[in-house]
Amino acid sequence: MLDKTYQPETVEKKHYEQWESAGAFTCGARGNADPYTIVIPPPNVTGSLHMGHALNNTLQDILIRCARMRGRDVLWQPGTDHAGIATQMVVERQLAEEGKTRHDLGRDAFMDRVWDWKAESGGTITSQLRRLGASCDWSRERFTMDEGLSLAVRKVFVELFKKGLIYRDKRLVNWDPKLHTAISDLEVEQREETGKLWYFRYPVEGEEGTFLTVATTRPETMLADTGVAVHPEDDRFKHLVGKNCTLPIVGRIIPIVADDYANPEKGTGAVKMTPAHDFNDFEVGRRHNLKMVNILDKDACLNDNVPEAYRGMDRHDARKKIVEEMDSLGLFEKVEDNPMTIPYGDRSGVVIEPWLMDQWFVDARTLAGPAISAVEQGRTRIVPQQWENTYYEWMRNIQPWCISRQIWWGHQIPAWFGPDGEIFVEMTEQEAYAAADKFFEGEKVELTRDPDVLDTWFSSALWPFSTLGWPEQTPVLERYYPTDVLITGFDILFFWVARMMMMGLAFMGEVPFHTVYIHALVRDEHGQKMSKSKGNIIDPLDLIDRFGADALRFTLTAQAAQGRDVKLAESRVEGYRNFCTKIWNAARFCEMNECRPVDGFDPASPRLAVNRWIIGKLKEAADGATEAIDAYRFNDIADVLYHFTWGTFCDWYLELTKPVLMGDDEAARTETRATTAWVMDQILHLLHPVIPFITEELYQQLDANRASNLILSTWPELGGNLIDDNATARMDWVVRVVTAIRAARAEMNVPAGARVALQYFGASDQTRGFVDDHRDLVMRLARLESMDAADKIAKGALQIIVDETTFVLPLSGVIDLDAEQARLQKEIARLEGEIEKFEKKLGNEKFVTKAPAEVVETERERLNEATATRARVGAALERIQAAM
RNA sequence: GGGAGCGUAGCUCAGCGGGAGAGCACUGCAUUGACAUUGCAGGGGUCACUGGUUCAAUCCCAGUCGUUCCCACCA
C-alpha cells in the first residue's frame, strides 16, 4: 500500500542505493549497444553544490537516464577538479587563522595539508550530486591530480614543448600582487570605474621653457617611463621627434618617438611610454628599442629602480606623492575625471599589474585552427547555435595562453633548469638528467625543477580523454571517445570548452564531443546573480530537504529554456512539489481501483472510446517528450509531461473513467483498469529522467512482481495507429460540453451541488449518438439529473450553445434573467467581433488570391461557424427577452 | 569601441508569419472515497516604441529607447 503522502527523504536514499548496488550506473554492461558518453564538468573538489551545479547536473542526468532507457551503453564519467588557486586560497586562509603562511610550512608540508583538506572535504560535492540523483558511474570517478591524469598532463606538456607549441618567454603578464602569481587573460576581470586623468609637463631637453604635456591615468608609472610617443603625422609635435625629454623627479633622459600608436585625439596627443608596465607601451617600446625599467616588486610596491624617497611605497601611496611632487615642481597642469576599465584578479579582487617576467605560454593560435574548423564543419555543434559566433570570435583572436602559476597546489611543470638556464622538459627527473648529460656531454650538473605549477584549466582541457585512460590506449578510451555531448554554462566556454576542443583535436585527432549544450546562469527570482555578499544564495540542498530532489529537478528543467537565464523562485519549486504529490495521488487512485499493470498489454487493444482517447493523447505526449529531448529543449519536456499528466490524465481521464470503474460492465472495467495502469506506467517512464526518485518508487510499488528497476527499463516509443480520430472527436466533444455547462452554471450561480435536468435541442445525428453513448459521463461531470432531447425550449431557461446544439437548463424562476441576458449579449458581442474580422479578411481580394488555399478555407470555416453560433445565441437571447 | 541576449498578464517566463499561452499571485464557488500540496470557474495583456517587407507581423527586417551580459591594451 502506498503511504498517504510522498516522503522524499527516505525514498530518495533507498533508491539511490538500490540503483548503485544494481550496477545501473556502470558502463559496459551492454556490450553490443551503442555507447553514449558524457563527461561531467568536474566541480572543485573542495566545493559544495550550488544552483549552477544543480541545473548542470540535472540536465546531464536527464540525457543520461533517457539514453540508458533507450538501450544505449551509457557512461557518465564523474570526477572533480583540483582547482589550483581556489583550493590553495582556502587552505591558506585556514593557515592564516593559525597565524601562519604557506612559507612557514614549506612546500611539502603545505601540499600535505592541502591533500588532507581534500580528503576531508572532497566527498561533499560528490555526495551532494548523489542526493540530486545524478546517475554517474562512480566506479570510474577521477580527480585531476590522480596519478593517471597527472601523467597525461606531463605527457601533453612535454609533447607540446617539443613541438614548440609550449615555450618560455619574457613578456608582460597579468600579475596578481595579492596571490603572487601570474594569471591568464581570462582570469582578469575588467571593471568599469571613473578614474582620473592627470596632465603632466615633461621638459624638453635642451630647450629651456619648452614642455611636452602628457596625460596619464597612472601617475606612479612615470617613474618607469622610458620615452614619449607622438603620432608621425601630428604637426604639433613633428619638430620634437628625435629630441628628448627630461623625466621629472627621476631626471632620466627619454626619447620622443613617432609611433602610430599615439592617437592625436586622445589626451594631449603625446603619450608617455612605460614599456615594463603597460601592454601597449611594451609593443611600442619593442619597436623603438626603449628601455624597460621595472619599478614594482611582487607586492606591487616600488622597488630600488625609483628615487630613494619612493622606494618601498605602495603603488597607491606613490600615486598621491607623485602628483604632489609634480605640482610642487610646477609641472602638474590639470586633472580630469576619466571613465576607464581597471583590471582586477577574479579570485583575489585586487588590481592586476602588468609585470615583465619569464612565464610558460601555449601557442594557442596554432592549436585553435583545427578547433575552429571542427565547429565550422559541424563536427562539433554548439547549442544554442548563437554561441558559435562567440566561440569563433574568441578563437580567431586568441592570445598566447599563460599557463604557469606561482603557487604550489597543482601539477608542477616538468621542466628542469641547468646551471646556465638551459631548460630540459621531460616526463621525469631521471629523463631530465639524461637529457642534461647528453647536452653537457657527460659533465655532471645540478638541475633544479621549475617550482611553478600549471593553470588548472590545463589539466581540465584533457578531461574528456585523460579520464578514459589516455595516454594509454585503453578499451574504454577506444569505446567512449569522442563523447556525445557536453553540458556546461556559458561562463566557461573559453576557459574550458575551447581548450578541450584544442587539446582533444591535438592529441586524439578527433573532437572531444559532437554537441556542446550551453545553458544559462541560475539567478534569484528577481534576476540578480546569486552571491554571498548580496545574501541571495539559494542552497539546492536546502530545497532538496524541504521539497525533495525531484521537485528541484523538475523546476530547473521547466525553466531551462534555451538562451535565457533561469530565475529561480521558491514558489516554483513548491508548485512542482505539488506536481509530485499529484502523481503520487494518481498512483494511489490506481492502487485503490486495482489498476494493476497487465503483462503484454497491447495499447491498440482497448475498445472503449475513452481508453482509445487517452492512449492517443499519451502517444502525442510521448512523441513530444522524445522530440524535445532530442532537440535539447528541456523546458518543453517538462511542459508537455506536466500538462499531459495533470491536465489530461488526472483532470479528465481519471474522472471520465470513474463511472466505468464503479459500474458493473466487467469487460469494460477490466479494460479500463488495464489501460489506466498502462498509461500510469508510461507516465512514470516518461517522467523518470526528470524526476527519477518518485517514479522509481511508484513503478516498484504499483507492481510487486517487477523484477527490474525503472531506471533500467525501456523508454516509450509508441509506434503506429494509436490515435483514433473517432474517439478523439467524441471525447473532445464530451470535454467541450461539460466545460460549457460548468462555466454557465458557475457564472449564473447555479449551486454547485445541485443536480439539474438538462435538455438538448437542435442536435445533429452525430451529437445524438454522442449523447446516447456518453450520457452518463456528461451527467456525472456536469452534475446533471437527466439529459433528454426536447422539441422546444422552456421559457426563461439557461441556454448553452455547443456546436450546433443548444443545451437547456430549465431553471425558470431560479435564474436571474437580467444576468442571463447580459451573459448572452456578451457572447454575441464576442462573436460579432470575430465575424467582422473574418469578413474583412475574406473581403480582401489580395488575401483570397495570395494566401494559401488552406488558410483561406480555414478562415471561411471559422466565419461560417461563428455566424451559425451567432444565430443560435441570438435566438437564445430572443427567447430570454421574451420571457422578461 | 566591438558583439550577443532580453523587453509578451501583477510577478517569473514559454510561444512565434495566419484564432494571445503557462506557473505563481488574484476573485468566486466547492470539503464524507486519489489528491485542499485539491477541484471547478473567472478577471487580467495597443506582445517596449517607430518605420519597413507581406494578402497577413507579437513573430521577419531596419532604427529608437530600456535592460542584462560577453569581448577589447587605449594615454
Side-chain angles (χ1 to χ4, degrees), chain A residues 189-350:
Chain A
E189 193 186 312
Q190 303 287 344
R191 295 190 201 158
E192 300 268 343
E193 284 176 18
T194 305
K196 301 241 184 261
L197 190 59
W198 286 269
Y199 289 77
F200 292 153
R201 294 198 189 99
Y202 285 7
V204 177
E205 187 200 23
E207 298 190 16
E208 196 69 28
T210 308
F211 297 95
L212 192 50
T213 303
V214 296
T216 179
T217 55
R218 303 199 55 196
E220 70 278 12
T221 62
M222 72 166 284
L223 300 175
D225 283 1
T226 56
V228 175
V230 298
H231 196 273
E233 307 297 313
D234 193 334
D235 290 336
R236 294 172 297 176
F237 305 116
K238 265 187 174 161
H239 64 288
L240 294 174
V241 173
K243 298 185 175 170
N244 297 314
C245 283
T246 308
L247 185 61
I249 300 175
V250 180
R252 184 161 49 236
I253 303 300
I254 58 176
I256 300 166
V257 300
D259 194 283
D260 285 345
Y261 166 71
N263 183 343
E265 318 261 298
K266 289 263 165 81
T268 62
V271 55
K272 67 192 226 23
M273 286 294 116
T274 320
H277 296 289
D278 182 282
F279 289 97
N280 292 308
D281 296 2
F282 180 78
E283 297 302 326
V284 177
R286 268 198 177 166
R287 289 199 283 270
H288 299 276
N289 283 318
L290 300 181
K291 277 195 283 184
M292 309 257 172
V293 178
N294 172 31
I295 59 163
L296 295 174
D297 66 12
K298 66 180 168 53
D299 294 308
C301 291
L302 301 187
N303 65 15
D304 289 351
N305 292 331
V306 300
E308 202 155 343
Y310 286 89
R311 287 179 195 167
M313 272 185 108
D314 176 81
R315 51 188 162 163
H316 303 103
D317 300 334
R319 174 174 302 181
K320 238 191 248 165
K321 192 174 160 75
I322 289 280
V323 175
E324 283 165 13
E325 186 166 354
M326 289 299 279
D327 195 19
S328 70
L329 292 171
L331 298 173
F332 168 67
E333 192 171 299
K334 60 174 175 174
V335 61
E336 296 172 343
D337 279 344
N338 185 47
M340 53 195 292
T341 54
I342 314 266
Y344 284 85
D346 67 348
R347 291 282 171 194
S348 66
V350 302

Side-chain angles (χ1 to χ4, degrees), chain A residues 177-197:
Chain A
K178 184 177 172 195
L179 299 175
H180 293 157
T181 180
I183 56 179
S184 74
D185 296 344
L186 285 176
E187 290 160 288
V188 177
E189 193 186 312
Q190 303 287 344
R191 295 190 201 158
E192 300 268 343
E193 284 176 18
T194 305
K196 301 241 184 261
L197 190 59

Side-chain angles (χ1 to χ4, degrees), chain A residues 111-184:
Chain A
M111 287 293 276
D112 289 345
R113 179 81 186 234
V114 185
W115 279 108
D116 287 348
W117 168 240
K118 186 238 170 200
E120 186 187 323
S121 70
T124 304
I125 188 101
T126 52
S127 72
Q128 288 173 328
L129 285 170
R130 288 175 163 92
R131 290 234 26 217
L132 187 68
S135 57
C136 306
D137 185 350
W138 295 108
S139 70
R140 297 195 43 80
E141 186 179 346
R142 296 290 185 270
F143 174 52
T144 46
M145 281 172 66
D146 282 348
E147 208 172 311
L149 277 72
S150 301
L151 178 72
V153 165
R154 286 202 301 281
K155 176 131 178 126
V156 165
F157 188 95
V158 172
E159 284 195 17
L160 288 178
F161 176 81
K162 292 191 172 170
K163 285 183 188 156
L165 294 172
I166 281 183
Y167 54 92
R168 197 165 163 80
D169 195 9
K170 194 181 209 52
R171 295 172 53 109
L172 278 183
V173 297
N174 304 296
W175 181 257
D176 188 316
K178 184 177 172 195
L179 299 175
H180 293 157
T181 180
I183 56 179
S184 74

Side-chain angles (χ1 to χ4, degrees), chain A residues 590 594-598 649 653 672-682 702:
Chain A
C590 291
E594 298 173 48
C595 302
R596 292 191 201 90
V598 173
F649 182 69
Y653 178 74
T672 301
R673 279 178 174 155
T675 305
T676 304
W678 182 79
V679 174
M680 185 74 216
D681 195 55
Q682 295 295 298
L702 286 176

Side-chain angles (χ1 to χ4, degrees), chain A residues 39 460-468 477 481 483 496 500 512-513:
Chain A
V39 293
S460 330
L462 319 181
W463 189 249
F465 51 93
S466 64
T467 50
L468 301 179
L477 182 65
Y481 190 96
T483 71
W496 193 45
M500 282 192 285
F513 20 71

Side-chain angles (χ1 to χ4, degrees), chain A residues 608 610 656-665 668-669 672 777:
Chain A
L608 293 184
V610 69
L656 289 167
T657 51
K658 276 178 184 171
V660 182
L661 293 176
M662 289 177 210
D664 47 16
D665 181 339
R669 215 155 74 173
T672 301
L777 274 186

Side-chain angles (χ1 to χ4, degrees), chain A residues 375 380-393:
Chain A
V375 175
T380 292
R381 191 166 65 101
I382 303 182
V383 180
Q385 204 182 349
Q386 79 217 28
W387 288 106
E388 288 184 2
N389 288 327
T390 311
Y391 173 86
Y392 290 140
E393 186 60 28

